[in-house]
Amino acid sequence: MLGMSLYELFLASPTMVVLLVCSIITIGFAVERSLFFHSTRTNAAKFMKGLSPLMQKGDTRSALRWCKDSNSSVGRVISQGLTHASLKRDELLQRMETAIEVEQVEMERNLSVLGTMSNIAPLLGLFGTVIGIIRAFADIATAGAGGSAVVAMGVSEALMTTAAGIVVAVIATIFFNVFVRRIRTRTVELEDAREEFFNLLNTTKQTRSFSNETTAQQKTVTETVDSTVEACAKITEEVEEPDTSGA
């Protein structure tokens, strides 16, 4: 590298040190977000499939335990719906939308750092380029000649900082776009799970209502039959009394 080691380049260019720090920050937050999404991933369709029979049976406690054990975004959103299932639809919808927004904020945490790095890294590289060119012209003025050996240090610093800034920006942009796409996908999954939860809740309520109506009808029929039997028994007794007295 024109007789200059990487260590010497870092010593000669403070901009390279700044870009090194930016690269460490970028990789660190990229790894942190990757671990977060990996640890909280779940199959929303499979989750709702396991929740459905619990809701149909009316076993709210087991359903809440199922949500808690999943340790996922969809589990936390649905648990809000189960906890406040007695509310009106509009109020319940608002609570679940708030839960989805909370999950979005958690998923977007530290994502702004990657976005910032993807924007400022090229600018830092350009800044290092300008500093390198300024140093090259200063070396020319000091040496009084324009040979390649005089300007090699400044040009090398300028090119290396530009390249380093582009590399950091590319890495940060790739991870940023991947995570943004993943957040959008999870948000859609949460919204689909919310709609499926409302469908299950309505079905469960209709089933319970039909069961209560059937029970009430059966009770009414039983009471009617009992009343008819009692009335018949009384009539029989009234009919039998004269015969007994006549004898």
Side-chain angles (χ1 to χ4, degrees), residues 86-112:
S86 59
L87 297 177
K88 295 181 179 179
R89 179 182 174 86
D90 293 339
E91 296 177 352
L92 182 58
L93 178 62
Q94 182 63 39
R95 284 186 177 272
M96 296 189 73
E97 286 181 351
T98 301
I100 293 176
E101 291 175 358
V102 170
E103 294 299 323
Q104 282 182 307
V105 171
E106 180 62 23
M107 288 187 288
E108 292 173 356
R109 184 167 57 89
N110 297 331
L111 203 61
S112 59

Side-chain angles (χ1 to χ4, degrees), residues 75-146:
R76 288 186 286 270
V77 171
I78 298 301
S79 65
Q80 285 292 318
L82 290 171
T83 304
H84 304 92
S86 59
L87 297 177
K88 295 181 179 179
R89 179 182 174 86
D90 293 339
E91 296 177 352
L92 182 58
L93 178 62
Q94 182 63 39
R95 284 186 177 272
M96 296 189 73
E97 286 181 351
T98 301
I100 293 176
E101 291 175 358
V102 170
E103 294 299 323
Q104 282 182 307
V105 171
E106 180 62 23
M107 288 187 288
E108 292 173 356
R109 184 167 57 89
N110 297 331
L111 203 61
S112 59
V113 176
L114 295 177
T116 301
M117 291 301 166
S118 66
N119 290 326
I120 68 172
L123 298 178
L124 290 173
L126 179 61
F127 176 75
T129 300
V130 173
I131 296 298
I133 293 175
I134 292 174
R135 181 174 296 176
F137 281 106
D139 291 340
I140 293 174
T142 301

Side-chain angles (χ1 to χ4, degrees), residues 16 19 117 121-126 160-170:
M16 286 295 294
L19 286 173
M117 291 301 166
L123 298 178
L124 290 173
L126 179 61
M160 286 299 296
T161 54
T162 300
I166 292 174
V167 169
V168 174
V170 168

Side-chain angles (χ1 to χ4, degrees), residues 159-228:
L159 296 177
M160 286 299 296
T161 54
T162 300
I166 292 174
V167 169
V168 174
V170 168
I171 294 174
T173 301
I174 290 174
F175 278 107
F176 180 83
N177 290 333
V178 168
F179 293 144
V180 167
R181 176 63 179 174
R182 190 166 297 180
I183 290 171
R184 289 177 180 174
T185 301
R186 286 201 177 183
T187 302
V188 171
E189 290 178 351
L190 293 177
E191 292 174 350
D192 290 341
R194 179 194 62 195
E195 295 303 318
E196 187 173 352
F197 169 79
F198 276 113
N199 292 334
L200 286 173
L201 188 62
N202 291 334
T203 302
T204 302
K205 288 182 178 180
Q206 290 175 0
T207 302
R208 289 179 180 176
S209 177
F210 177 78
S211 177
N212 292 336
E213 290 179 358
T214 302
T215 303
Q217 291 176 357
Q218 291 177 348
K219 185 178 179 181
T220 303
V221 171
T222 302
E223 291 176 351
T224 303
V225 171
D226 292 341
S227 300
T228 303

